[in-house]
Amino acid sequence: MAGRAEPQPSAGGRPSRRGFLIGTGLVVTGAAVLWGDEASRLWWKVPGVDKQRTDGDVDQPGARWVPASARNLRTADRPDDYRIDRIVIHTTEGSYDSAIRVFRDPLHAAAAHYVIRAEDGHITQMARELDVAYHAGDRGYNERSVGIEHEAFAHRKGTLTEVMYRSSARLAAGICARYGIPVDREHIVGHVEVPGTDHTDPGPYWDWDHYLGLVRQETRRLAPLPARST
């Protein structure tokens, strides 16, 4: 399940474009000087720097849009302000419906970008990939990654379904294609592998070899065919 809160960044989270707004760590608004995270939350509000958004838009074709609480994410402009180079795999440790319910709860302090249903692989998007969802429990990983929740229990055998693996693989392949993420275990990781986490998902029953094979298969399907010679 997505980690709570958003600690300070680990090594590797490197803001880029927002540097011209924040400079040495401050933004001046009238007579007020804002430091650190306060400035990072405000930079995107400057006219002309945020990407165009339309209510209900999704990044993954076929996904259903159900927005997480705005308190469970940080509006951003990725990948222009933070590069996206990781996918973090989670299990919900509860039902699909309960995961959606808690991510919509402003008191939960966490949400993932996507939730996938076990019985049919249906995908619900709850945060735009543009934005930083609080899913990894590490600020740097939140800023650089997309979080995918799967309706399953990390330590309960038989809760991971093939239709969910395949749906997730199509989603992961799309994310990798959008941001140039390599399909390997360095860039597609489990929540358990996030630095400093106390979570153990997706657990010992998650079949990494099978999953990455499916993602690579979907990546090849997405790749444009080479031009034919005349």
Side-chain angles (χ1 to χ4, degrees):
M1 190 75 167
R4 297 177 66 85
E6 191 179 30
Q8 291 302 307
S10 61
R14 297 197 301 239
S16 55
R17 194 177 68 176
R18 68 175 184 159
F20 82 91
L21 292 170
I22 298 174
T24 58
L26 62 84
V27 170
V28 179
T29 57
V33 179
L34 303 174
W35 292 90
D37 190 54
E38 183 67 16
S40 73
R41 288 196 299 268
L42 292 179
W43 78 269
W44 61 270
K45 296 183 179 180
V46 176
V49 297
D50 55 321
K51 289 185 173 70
Q52 184 65 42
R53 297 164 185 264
T54 302
D55 288 346
D57 274 359
V58 295
D59 297 293
Q60 180 68 14
R64 176 182 68 141
W65 174 251
V66 178
S69 169
R71 297 286 299 275
N72 298 338
L73 55 89
R74 174 155 40 100
T75 305
D77 198 18
R78 302 190 310 169
D80 288 335
D81 51 352
Y82 302 104
R83 73 179 185 273
I84 300 175
D85 64 1
R86 295 287 190 279
I87 295 172
V88 179
I89 301 297
H90 303 262
T91 51
T92 59
E93 307 307 308
S95 72
Y96 167 87
D97 290 336
S98 66
I100 291 174
R101 185 171 60 253
V102 297
F103 291 162
R104 289 176 61 81
D105 180 355
L107 299 179
H108 185 64
H113 293 89
Y114 295 97
V115 183
I116 304 181
R117 191 161 57 201
E119 66 176 353
D120 57 4
H122 179 73
I123 299 171
T124 292
Q125 183 168 2
M126 303 199 69
R128 290 294 306 275
E129 292 172 10
L130 290 166
D131 296 332
V132 176
Y134 302 159
H135 66 96
D138 175 276
R139 179 169 174 170
Y141 265 71
N142 286 343
E143 290 169 346
R144 73 191 303 173
S145 67
V146 174
I148 306 175
E149 289 276 0
H150 301 79
E151 184 187 20
F153 293 86
H155 298 278
R156 188 179 300 175
K157 191 174 183 179
T159 61
L160 294 163
T161 66
E162 182 63 17
V163 69
M164 186 166 59
Y165 270 127
R166 291 183 176 274
S167 178
S168 180
R170 286 191 293 273
L171 171 58
I175 295 167
C176 289
R178 285 191 280 279
Y179 305 108
I181 302 172
V183 181
D184 58 34
R185 286 287 286 114
E186 179 182 352
H187 297 88
I188 302 177
V189 302
H191 194 183
V192 66
E193 297 168 278
V194 173
T197 188
D198 59 355
H199 289 248
T200 60
D201 55 316
Y205 300 112
W206 182 268
D207 189 336
W208 282 107
D209 289 340
H210 179 53
Y211 182 66
L212 289 180
L214 291 173
V215 178
R216 292 185 183 109
Q217 178 180 305
E218 291 295 331
T219 299
R220 289 192 294 271
R221 189 180 63 80
L222 289 174
L225 294 174
R228 291 184 296 178
S229 58
T230 57

PDB file of all heavy atoms in Angstrom, residues 109-134:
ATOM      1  N   ALA A 109      -3.313  10.854   3.784  1.00  0.00           N
ATOM      2  CA  ALA A 109      -1.951  11.364   3.536  1.00  0.00           C
ATOM      3  C   ALA A 109      -1.156  10.495   2.565  1.00  0.00           C
ATOM      4  O   ALA A 109       0.070  10.497   2.599  1.00  0.00           O
ATOM      5  CB  ALA A 109      -1.184  11.527   4.848  1.00  0.00           C
ATOM      6  N   ALA A 110      -1.824   9.743   1.701  1.00  0.00           N
ATOM      7  CA  ALA A 110      -1.125   8.928   0.707  1.00  0.00           C
ATOM      8  C   ALA A 110      -2.072   8.591  -0.434  1.00  0.00           C
ATOM      9  O   ALA A 110      -3.290   8.519  -0.255  1.00  0.00           O
ATOM     10  CB  ALA A 110      -0.580   7.639   1.336  1.00  0.00           C
ATOM     11  N   ALA A 111      -1.484   8.393  -1.610  1.00  0.00           N
ATOM     12  CA  ALA A 111      -2.231   7.931  -2.783  1.00  0.00           C
ATOM     13  C   ALA A 111      -1.228   7.457  -3.815  1.00  0.00           C
ATOM     14  O   ALA A 111      -0.080   7.896  -3.834  1.00  0.00           O
ATOM     15  CB  ALA A 111      -3.102   9.044  -3.358  1.00  0.00           C
ATOM     16  N   ALA A 112      -1.667   6.547  -4.678  1.00  0.00           N
ATOM     17  CA  ALA A 112      -0.868   6.122  -5.823  1.00  0.00           C
ATOM     18  C   ALA A 112      -1.485   6.684  -7.098  1.00  0.00           C
ATOM     19  O   ALA A 112      -2.630   7.140  -7.101  1.00  0.00           O
ATOM     20  CB  ALA A 112      -0.808   4.595  -5.888  1.00  0.00           C
ATOM     21  N   HIS A 113      -0.714   6.657  -8.168  1.00  0.00           N
ATOM     22  CA  HIS A 113      -1.244   7.143  -9.444  1.00  0.00           C
ATOM     23  C   HIS A 113      -2.321   6.209  -9.995  1.00  0.00           C
ATOM     24  O   HIS A 113      -3.312   6.678 -10.568  1.00  0.00           O
ATOM     25  CB  HIS A 113      -0.110   7.277 -10.461  1.00  0.00           C
ATOM     26  CG  HIS A 113       0.879   8.344 -10.121  1.00  0.00           C
ATOM     27  ND1 HIS A 113       1.984   8.102  -9.335  1.00  0.00           N
ATOM     28  CD2 HIS A 113       0.913   9.658 -10.441  1.00  0.00           C
ATOM     29  CE1 HIS A 113       2.669   9.233  -9.195  1.00  0.00           C
ATOM     30  NE2 HIS A 113       2.042  10.191  -9.854  1.00  0.00           N
ATOM     31  N   TYR A 114      -2.126   4.894  -9.812  1.00  0.00           N
ATOM     32  CA  TYR A 114      -3.038   3.915 -10.401  1.00  0.00           C
ATOM     33  C   TYR A 114      -3.405   2.831  -9.394  1.00  0.00           C
ATOM     34  O   TYR A 114      -2.590   2.468  -8.535  1.00  0.00           O
ATOM     35  CB  TYR A 114      -2.389   3.236 -11.611  1.00  0.00           C
ATOM     36  CG  TYR A 114      -2.109   4.159 -12.773  1.00  0.00           C
ATOM     37  CD1 TYR A 114      -0.843   4.711 -12.959  1.00  0.00           C
ATOM     38  CD2 TYR A 114      -3.104   4.473 -13.690  1.00  0.00           C
ATOM     39  CE1 TYR A 114      -0.580   5.556 -14.031  1.00  0.00           C
ATOM     40  CE2 TYR A 114      -2.840   5.317 -14.765  1.00  0.00           C
ATOM     41  CZ  TYR A 114      -1.586   5.857 -14.928  1.00  0.00           C
ATOM     42  OH  TYR A 114      -1.322   6.693 -15.993  1.00  0.00           O
ATOM     43  N   VAL A 115      -4.622   2.298  -9.548  1.00  0.00           N
ATOM     44  CA  VAL A 115      -5.073   1.122  -8.800  1.00  0.00           C
ATOM     45  C   VAL A 115      -5.641   0.135  -9.815  1.00  0.00           C
ATOM     46  O   VAL A 115      -6.455   0.517 -10.667  1.00  0.00           O
ATOM     47  CB  VAL A 115      -6.151   1.478  -7.756  1.00  0.00           C
ATOM     48  CG1 VAL A 115      -6.528   0.239  -6.945  1.00  0.00           C
ATOM     49  CG2 VAL A 115      -5.684   2.599  -6.831  1.00  0.00           C
ATOM     50  N   ILE A 116      -5.218  -1.139  -9.715  1.00  0.00           N
ATOM     51  CA  ILE A 116      -5.662  -2.159 -10.671  1.00  0.00           C
ATOM     52  C   ILE A 116      -6.476  -3.234  -9.943  1.00  0.00           C
ATOM     53  O   ILE A 116      -6.049  -3.751  -8.906  1.00  0.00           O
ATOM     54  CB  ILE A 116      -4.463  -2.816 -11.383  1.00  0.00           C
ATOM     55  CG1 ILE A 116      -3.613  -1.743 -12.063  1.00  0.00           C
ATOM     56  CG2 ILE A 116      -4.953  -3.831 -12.411  1.00  0.00           C
ATOM     57  CD1 ILE A 116      -2.419  -2.289 -12.824  1.00  0.00           C
ATOM     58  N   ARG A 117      -7.641  -3.563 -10.497  1.00  0.00           N
ATOM     59  CA  ARG A 117      -8.553  -4.533  -9.894  1.00  0.00           C
ATOM     60  C   ARG A 117      -8.135  -5.953 -10.254  1.00  0.00           C
ATOM     61  O   ARG A 117      -7.747  -6.231 -11.381  1.00  0.00           O
ATOM     62  CB  ARG A 117      -9.976  -4.256 -10.371  1.00  0.00           C
ATOM     63  CG  ARG A 117     -11.052  -5.009  -9.627  1.00  0.00           C
ATOM     64  CD  ARG A 117     -12.413  -4.340  -9.843  1.00  0.00           C
ATOM     65  NE  ARG A 117     -12.787  -4.238 -11.245  1.00  0.00           N
ATOM     66  CZ  ARG A 117     -13.691  -3.366 -11.715  1.00  0.00           C
ATOM     67  NH1 ARG A 117     -14.293  -2.531 -10.888  1.00  0.00           N
ATOM     68  NH2 ARG A 117     -13.977  -3.335 -13.000  1.00  0.00           N
ATOM     69  N   ALA A 118      -8.246  -6.853  -9.289  1.00  0.00           N
ATOM     70  CA  ALA A 118      -7.765  -8.222  -9.473  1.00  0.00           C
ATOM     71  C   ALA A 118      -8.627  -9.029 -10.433  1.00  0.00           C
ATOM     72  O   ALA A 118      -8.105  -9.794 -11.256  1.00  0.00           O
ATOM     73  CB  ALA A 118      -7.697  -8.936  -8.121  1.00  0.00           C
ATOM     74  N   GLU A 119      -9.952  -8.899 -10.353  1.00  0.00           N
ATOM     75  CA  GLU A 119     -10.821  -9.825 -11.084  1.00  0.00           C
ATOM     76  C   GLU A 119     -10.799  -9.624 -12.589  1.00  0.00           C
ATOM     77  O   GLU A 119     -11.005 -10.586 -13.348  1.00  0.00           O
ATOM     78  CB  GLU A 119     -12.260  -9.715 -10.575  1.00  0.00           C
ATOM     79  CG  GLU A 119     -12.926  -8.380 -10.848  1.00  0.00           C
ATOM     80  CD  GLU A 119     -14.381  -8.373 -10.401  1.00  0.00           C
ATOM     81  OE1 GLU A 119     -14.870  -9.451 -10.015  1.00  0.00           O
ATOM     82  OE2 GLU A 119     -15.007  -7.298 -10.430  1.00  0.00           O
ATOM     83  N   ASP A 120     -10.531  -8.390 -13.047  1.00  0.00           N
ATOM     84  CA  ASP A 120     -10.588  -8.135 -14.485  1.00  0.00           C
ATOM     85  C   ASP A 120      -9.478  -7.209 -14.990  1.00  0.00           C
ATOM     86  O   ASP A 120      -9.446  -6.885 -16.183  1.00  0.00           O
ATOM     87  CB  ASP A 120     -11.951  -7.547 -14.868  1.00  0.00           C
ATOM     88  CG  ASP A 120     -12.277  -6.253 -14.111  1.00  0.00           C
ATOM     89  OD1 ASP A 120     -11.411  -5.767 -13.347  1.00  0.00           O
ATOM     90  OD2 ASP A 120     -13.395  -5.737 -14.280  1.00  0.00           O
ATOM     91  N   GLY A 121      -8.570  -6.774 -14.116  1.00  0.00           N
ATOM     92  CA  GLY A 121      -7.475  -5.914 -14.537  1.00  0.00           C
ATOM     93  C   GLY A 121      -7.862  -4.478 -14.816  1.00  0.00           C
ATOM     94  O   GLY A 121      -7.067  -3.724 -15.389  1.00  0.00           O
ATOM     95  N   HIS A 122      -9.060  -4.093 -14.410  1.00  0.00           N
ATOM     96  CA  HIS A 122      -9.515  -2.718 -14.657  1.00  0.00           C
ATOM     97  C   HIS A 122      -8.591  -1.724 -13.962  1.00  0.00           C
ATOM     98  O   HIS A 122      -8.197  -1.918 -12.810  1.00  0.00           O
ATOM     99  CB  HIS A 122     -10.948  -2.541 -14.164  1.00  0.00           C
ATOM    100  CG  HIS A 122     -11.467  -1.149 -14.352  1.00  0.00           C
ATOM    101  ND1 HIS A 122     -11.800  -0.634 -15.582  1.00  0.00           N
ATOM    102  CD2 HIS A 122     -11.680  -0.148 -13.458  1.00  0.00           C
ATOM    103  CE1 HIS A 122     -12.221   0.612 -15.441  1.00  0.00           C
ATOM    104  NE2 HIS A 122     -12.147   0.925 -14.169  1.00  0.00           N
ATOM    105  N   ILE A 123      -8.260  -0.637 -14.662  1.00  0.00           N
ATOM    106  CA  ILE A 123      -7.324   0.370 -14.150  1.00  0.00           C
ATOM    107  C   ILE A 123      -8.074   1.647 -13.802  1.00  0.00           C
ATOM    108  O   ILE A 123      -8.819   2.188 -14.627  1.00  0.00           O
ATOM    109  CB  ILE A 123      -6.240   0.699 -15.188  1.00  0.00           C
ATOM    110  CG1 ILE A 123      -5.417  -0.548 -15.533  1.00  0.00           C
ATOM    111  CG2 ILE A 123      -5.328   1.822 -14.689  1.00  0.00           C
ATOM    112  CD1 ILE A 123      -4.470  -0.352 -16.697  1.00  0.00           C
ATOM    113  N   THR A 124      -7.857   2.130 -12.592  1.00  0.00           N
ATOM    114  CA  THR A 124      -8.344   3.444 -12.182  1.00  0.00           C
ATOM    115  C   THR A 124      -7.146   4.353 -11.966  1.00  0.00           C
ATOM    116  O   THR A 124      -6.210   3.996 -11.250  1.00  0.00           O
ATOM    117  CB  THR A 124      -9.171   3.361 -10.889  1.00  0.00           C
ATOM    118  OG1 THR A 124     -10.392   2.655 -11.160  1.00  0.00           O
ATOM    119  CG2 THR A 124      -9.520   4.739 -10.364  1.00  0.00           C
ATOM    120  N   GLN A 125      -7.155   5.505 -12.621  1.00  0.00           N
ATOM    121  CA  GLN A 125      -6.103   6.503 -12.397  1.00  0.00           C
ATOM    122  C   GLN A 125      -6.598   7.514 -11.377  1.00  0.00           C
ATOM    123  O   GLN A 125      -7.691   8.061 -11.506  1.00  0.00           O
ATOM    124  CB  GLN A 125      -5.719   7.211 -13.694  1.00  0.00           C
ATOM    125  CG  GLN A 125      -4.572   8.207 -13.485  1.00  0.00           C
ATOM    126  CD  GLN A 125      -3.955   8.718 -14.772  1.00  0.00           C
ATOM    127  OE1 GLN A 125      -4.390   8.358 -15.870  1.00  0.00           O
ATOM    128  NE2 GLN A 125      -2.935   9.561 -14.647  1.00  0.00           N
ATOM    129  N   MET A 126      -5.775   7.780 -10.355  1.00  0.00           N
ATOM    130  CA  MET A 126      -6.179   8.658  -9.262  1.00  0.00           C
ATOM    131  C   MET A 126      -5.311   9.906  -9.141  1.00  0.00           C
ATOM    132  O   MET A 126      -5.667  10.833  -8.414  1.00  0.00           O
ATOM    133  CB  MET A 126      -6.196   7.887  -7.950  1.00  0.00           C
ATOM    134  CG  MET A 126      -7.108   6.672  -7.990  1.00  0.00           C
ATOM    135  SD  MET A 126      -7.566   6.053  -6.366  1.00  0.00           S
ATOM    136  CE  MET A 126      -8.631   7.366  -5.769  1.00  0.00           C
ATOM    137  N   ALA A 127      -4.185   9.937  -9.826  1.00  0.00           N
ATOM    138  CA  ALA A 127      -3.334  11.131  -9.877  1.00  0.00           C
ATOM    139  C   ALA A 127      -2.727  11.199 -11.260  1.00  0.00           C
ATOM    140  O   ALA A 127      -2.361  10.164 -11.832  1.00  0.00           O
ATOM    141  CB  ALA A 127      -2.240  11.078  -8.812  1.00  0.00           C
ATOM    142  N   ARG A 128      -2.632  12.389 -11.810  1.00  0.00           N
ATOM    143  CA  ARG A 128      -1.970  12.540 -13.095  1.00  0.00           C
ATOM    144  C   ARG A 128      -0.487  12.226 -12.960  1.00  0.00           C
ATOM    145  O   ARG A 128       0.124  12.497 -11.927  1.00  0.00           O
ATOM    146  CB  ARG A 128      -2.157  13.967 -13.613  1.00  0.00           C
ATOM    147  CG  ARG A 128      -3.570  14.317 -14.060  1.00  0.00           C
ATOM    148  CD  ARG A 128      -3.992  13.522 -15.284  1.00  0.00           C
ATOM    149  NE  ARG A 128      -3.045  13.646 -16.393  1.00  0.00           N
ATOM    150  CZ  ARG A 128      -3.050  14.642 -17.284  1.00  0.00           C
ATOM    151  NH1 ARG A 128      -3.965  15.604 -17.203  1.00  0.00           N
ATOM    152  NH2 ARG A 128      -2.159  14.679 -18.247  1.00  0.00           N
ATOM    153  N   GLU A 129       0.087  11.668 -14.002  1.00  0.00           N
ATOM    154  CA  GLU A 129       1.525  11.416 -13.984  1.00  0.00           C
ATOM    155  C   GLU A 129       2.323  12.710 -13.887  1.00  0.00           C
ATOM    156  O   GLU A 129       3.478  12.702 -13.447  1.00  0.00           O
ATOM    157  CB  GLU A 129       1.919  10.614 -15.224  1.00  0.00           C
ATOM    158  CG  GLU A 129       1.372   9.196 -15.198  1.00  0.00           C
ATOM    159  CD  GLU A 129       1.588   8.442 -16.506  1.00  0.00           C
ATOM    160  OE1 GLU A 129       2.332   8.946 -17.382  1.00  0.00           O
ATOM    161  OE2 GLU A 129       1.011   7.345 -16.664  1.00  0.00           O
ATOM    162  N   LEU A 130       1.731  13.816 -14.264  1.00  0.00           N
ATOM    163  CA  LEU A 130       2.348  15.124 -14.064  1.00  0.00           C
ATOM    164  C   LEU A 130       2.675  15.380 -12.598  1.00  0.00           C
ATOM    165  O   LEU A 130       3.641  16.077 -12.279  1.00  0.00           O
ATOM    166  CB  LEU A 130       1.385  16.232 -14.512  1.00  0.00           C
ATOM    167  CG  LEU A 130       1.080  16.428 -15.989  1.00  0.00           C
ATOM    168  CD1 LEU A 130      -0.137  17.325 -16.134  1.00  0.00           C
ATOM    169  CD2 LEU A 130       2.281  17.043 -16.690  1.00  0.00           C
ATOM    170  N   ASP A 131       1.850  14.831 -11.712  1.00  0.00           N
ATOM    171  CA  ASP A 131       1.873  15.211 -10.310  1.00  0.00           C
ATOM    172  C   ASP A 131       2.616  14.205  -9.442  1.00  0.00           C
ATOM    173  O   ASP A 131       2.787  13.041  -9.804  1.00  0.00           O
ATOM    174  CB  ASP A 131       0.442  15.395  -9.801  1.00  0.00           C
ATOM    175  CG  ASP A 131      -0.276  16.540 -10.513  1.00  0.00           C
ATOM    176  OD1 ASP A 131       0.409  17.484 -10.958  1.00  0.00           O
ATOM    177  OD2 ASP A 131      -1.514  16.487 -10.629  1.00  0.00           O
ATOM    178  N   VAL A 132       3.031  14.657  -8.282  1.00  0.00           N
ATOM    179  CA  VAL A 132       3.774  13.847  -7.322  1.00  0.00           C
ATOM    180  C   VAL A 132       2.780  13.245  -6.337  1.00  0.00           C
ATOM    181  O   VAL A 132       2.244  13.949  -5.470  1.00  0.00           O
ATOM    182  CB  VAL A 132       4.819  14.702  -6.573  1.00  0.00           C
ATOM    183  CG1 VAL A 132       5.535  13.871  -5.508  1.00  0.00           C
ATOM    184  CG2 VAL A 132       5.823  15.310  -7.552  1.00  0.00           C
ATOM    185  N   ALA A 133       2.492  11.960  -6.481  1.00  0.00           N
ATOM    186  CA  ALA A 133       1.603  11.271  -5.542  1.00  0.00           C
ATOM    187  C   ALA A 133       2.430  10.761  -4.365  1.00  0.00           C
ATOM    188  O   ALA A 133       3.567  10.329  -4.529  1.00  0.00           O
ATOM    189  CB  ALA A 133       0.896  10.105  -6.225  1.00  0.00           C
ATOM    190  N   TYR A 134       1.831  10.810  -3.170  1.00  0.00           N
ATOM    191  CA  TYR A 134       2.535  10.358  -1.957  1.00  0.00           C
ATOM    192  C   TYR A 134       2.318   8.851  -1.793  1.00  0.00           C
ATOM    193  O   TYR A 134       1.431   8.406  -1.078  1.00  0.00           O
ATOM    194  CB  TYR A 134       2.004  11.102  -0.738  1.00  0.00           C
ATOM    195  CG  TYR A 134       2.127  12.612  -0.812  1.00  0.00           C
ATOM    196  CD1 TYR A 134       1.313  13.420  -0.019  1.00  0.00           C
ATOM    197  CD2 TYR A 134       3.039  13.236  -1.653  1.00  0.00           C
ATOM    198  CE1 TYR A 134       1.420  14.795  -0.063  1.00  0.00           C
ATOM    199  CE2 TYR A 134       3.148  14.617  -1.702  1.00  0.00           C
ATOM    200  CZ  TYR A 134       2.332  15.391  -0.913  1.00  0.00           C
ATOM    201  OH  TYR A 134       2.433  16.763  -0.956  1.00  0.00           O
TER     202      TYR A 134
END
